[in-house]
């Protein structure tokens, strides 16, 4: 199951680093491709030569080696999965804070693949509120944290904090890469994200403040669950590097609609997260509109409602998910859209909630299902919200399969 999987193994300074040799051996035996990145502290616990020999490639540990920049971006993009085992309290705290002071922390920040942590430390450290809050923070951003074991610790004490055994880590990875870990394997998805820009003249447009982050996170979460994804992305400085996502960049609602309709009929899952302009200028001036002494009146016309069109043309078995960004009568409006646009799920975010909605990195949503389900979620990072949305989609498939 791990055959050909590209795994970057990060080894940090913990006595459990001696188990990394066995872990590399198990991964290589499964025909995974393993590249090892060590921190300086790890080299005190296990020799790089051991891990180079077992992995079949030279261990990397420096950002700059013999005046040559070590390309952490390439390594981050190469990986199907970044596994940090053992993950020391120190590295967990750096990664939670976004510190970048060695090759491993740089690879972490530039990777777009799933990240799995196998923490290892003494019990007192593990239970410290600082470590626990870092672990929670990393988990809330969509990283996976493997449970620590209980037993003898390096200090001689007995308690919690042992790194998961290499066999357990291998089992987790096999599950992750198996059909059970990738429940949307073989499914296709189409996601819209970002704003649209509706031109007024060659230099001006009507737009909105959407960053596209929520939809991009949904596309990435769908890929992690095994789906093949097309992302139709409005004008935003954000993008995605996740392998398995084909990106079509568009400007206007009309272009977004056309890109969607080209692909929608053959797609299993449609998630419309874009903040599409509802109106556009009735005519676009071919020349820059000149200032004049009087007021300027604009006549606006409706743009195509992509979600509504998809609802009308929905094929049996297709799952259609819409978003609803509301400032008043949130639930009523969301439920009306769910019904009128023939959706299976609608994700409501209220602009009244602190930390929810446009621009930021967090969101607070409620997901309504057409069968009457309603699930409220706490404030989370957009990638964790995306994982909840994908989970709701997977649950829908389970319900359909069972009925
Ligand atoms: O009705 P309202 O515009 O609030 O619905 C929001 C939902 O509809 C979002 O999922 C958004 O992506 C989608 N939408 C669309 N095309 C439009 C307007 C909204 O697909 N022209």
């Amino acid at each position: 199951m791990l055959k050909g999987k590209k795994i970057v193994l990060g080894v940090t300074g913990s006595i459990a680093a001696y188990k990394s040799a066995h872990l590399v051996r198990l991964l290589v035996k499964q025909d995974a491709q393993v590249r090892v990145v060590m921190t300086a502290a790890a080299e005190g616990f296990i020799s790089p030569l051991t891990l180079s020999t077992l992995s079949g490639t030279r261990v990397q540990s420096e950002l700059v080696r013999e005046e040559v920049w070590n390309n952490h971006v390439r390594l981050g993009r190469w990986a199907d999965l970044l596994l940090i085992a053992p993950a020391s309290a120190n590295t967990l705290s750096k990664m939670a804070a976004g510190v970048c002071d060695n090759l491993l922390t740089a690879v972490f920040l530039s990777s777009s693949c799933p990240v799995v942590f196998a923490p290892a430390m003494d019990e007192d450290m593990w239970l410290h509120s600082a470590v626990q809050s870092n672990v929670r923070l990393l988990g809330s951003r969509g990283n996976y944290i493997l449970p620590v074991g209980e037993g003898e610790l390096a200090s001689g004490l007995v308690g919690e904090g042992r790194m998961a055994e290499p066999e357990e880590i291998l089992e987790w990875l096999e599950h992750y890469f198996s059909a059970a870990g990738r429940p949307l394997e073989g499914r296709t998805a189409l996601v819209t994200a970002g704003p649209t820009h509706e031109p007024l003249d060659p230099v001006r447009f009507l737009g909105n403040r959407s960053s596209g982050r929520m939809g991009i996170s949904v596309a990435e979460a769908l890929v992690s669950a095994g789906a093949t994804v097309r992302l139709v992305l409005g004008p935003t400085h954000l993008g995605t590097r996740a392998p398995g996502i084909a990106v079509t960049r568009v400007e206007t609602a009309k272009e977004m609609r056309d890109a969607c309709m080209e692909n929608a009929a053959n797609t299993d899952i449609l998630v419309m997260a874009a903040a599409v302009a509802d109106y556009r200028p009735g005519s676009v001036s071919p020349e820059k509109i000149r200032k004049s002494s009087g007021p300027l009146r604009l006549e606006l016309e409706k743009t195509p409602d992509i979600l509504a069109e998809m609802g009308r043309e929905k094929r049996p078995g297709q799952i259609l998910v819409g978003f609803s960004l509301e400032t008043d009568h949130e639930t009523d409006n969301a439920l009306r859209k769910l019904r009128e646009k023939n959706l299976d799920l609608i994700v409501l975010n209220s602009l009244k909630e602190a930390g929810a909605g446009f621009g930021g990195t967090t969101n607070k949503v409620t997901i309504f299902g057409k069968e009457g389900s309603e699930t409220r979620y706490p404030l989370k990072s957009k990638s964790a919200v995306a994982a909840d949305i994908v989970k709701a989609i997977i649950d829908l498939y389970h319900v359909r399969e069972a009925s």
Side-chain angles (χ1 to χ4, degrees), residues 192-194 196 198 253-254 256-257 260 271-279 302-310 321-326 333 336-337 340-341 343 345-347:
T192 64
T196 63
E198 309 300 331
K254 168 82 170 61
M256 186 171 273
R257 183 239 163 235
C260 287
V271 183
M272 301 292 103
V276 188
D278 290 326
Y279 291 93
K302 287 216 72 163
T303 55
D305 189 326
I306 310 167
L307 184 62
E309 189 171 348
M310 289 195 170
V321 184
F323 277 70
S324 183
L325 184 70
E326 305 293 339
N333 284 332
R336 184 175 43 76
K337 279 176 204 169
E340 286 178 359
K341 298 193 187 188
L343 312 183
L345 297 172
I346 192 152
V347 182

Side-chain angles (χ1 to χ4, degrees), residues 10 15 30 46 62 87 111 119 130 235 254 386 390 392:
I15 181 65
Q30 297 290 321
I46 184 165
E62 291 139 3
S111 68
K254 168 82 170 61
V390 171

Side-chain angles (χ1 to χ4, degrees), residues 388-399:
D388 289 333
I389 294 168
V390 171
K391 167 100 179 27
I393 293 170
I394 295 165
D395 288 348
L396 256 188
Y397 276 119
H398 288 156
V399 171

Side-chain angles (χ1 to χ4, degrees), residues 32-144:
Q33 297 181 48
V34 185
R35 302 258 192 287
V36 180
V37 178
M38 294 177 82
T39 62
E43 293 186 9
F45 289 95
I46 184 165
S47 146
L49 182 61
T50 307
L51 298 181
S52 293
T53 311
L54 290 171
S55 66
T57 47
R58 181 155 147 187
V59 164
Q60 303 183 61
S61 51
E62 291 139 3
L63 268 166
V64 177
R65 189 187 175 94
E66 287 152 14
E67 316 222 326
V68 177
W69 182 61
N70 208 339
N71 195 333
H72 54 87
V73 178
R74 195 179 310 142
L75 201 55
R77 288 193 189 187
W78 173 84
D80 291 321
L81 186 134
L82 171 59
L83 168 64
I84 303 175
S88 65
N90 190 37
T91 293
L92 287 168
S93 84
K94 285 186 196 173
M95 289 182 173
V99 172
C100 178
D101 65 348
N102 61 33
L103 181 63
L104 182 60
T105 47
V107 169
F108 171 71
L109 289 182
S110 49
S111 68
S112 50
C113 60
V115 181
V116 185
F117 289 92
M121 65 202 75
D122 242 287
E123 186 178 57
D124 296 346
M125 293 168 80
W126 172 245
L127 294 180
H128 195 284
S129 54
V131 173
Q132 286 298 310
S133 103
N134 287 333
V135 166
R136 270 197 304 277
L137 186 58
L138 286 165
S140 77
R141 291 180 183 153
N143 302 292
Y144 298 96

Side-chain angles (χ1 to χ4, degrees), residues 233-287:
L233 188 57
T236 166
H237 66 285
L238 296 179
T240 176
R241 300 187 308 247
I245 302 184
V247 182
T248 306
R249 292 219 178 231
V250 296
E251 286 279 322
T252 63
K254 168 82 170 61
E255 287 170 13
M256 186 171 273
R257 183 239 163 235
D258 292 348
C260 287
M261 286 307 151
E262 226 171 82
N263 296 284
N266 303 318
T267 305
D268 301 312
I269 301 160
L270 308 157
V271 183
M272 301 292 103
V276 188
D278 290 326
Y279 291 93
R280 66 185 167 212
S283 63
V284 182
S285 165
E287 307 298 339

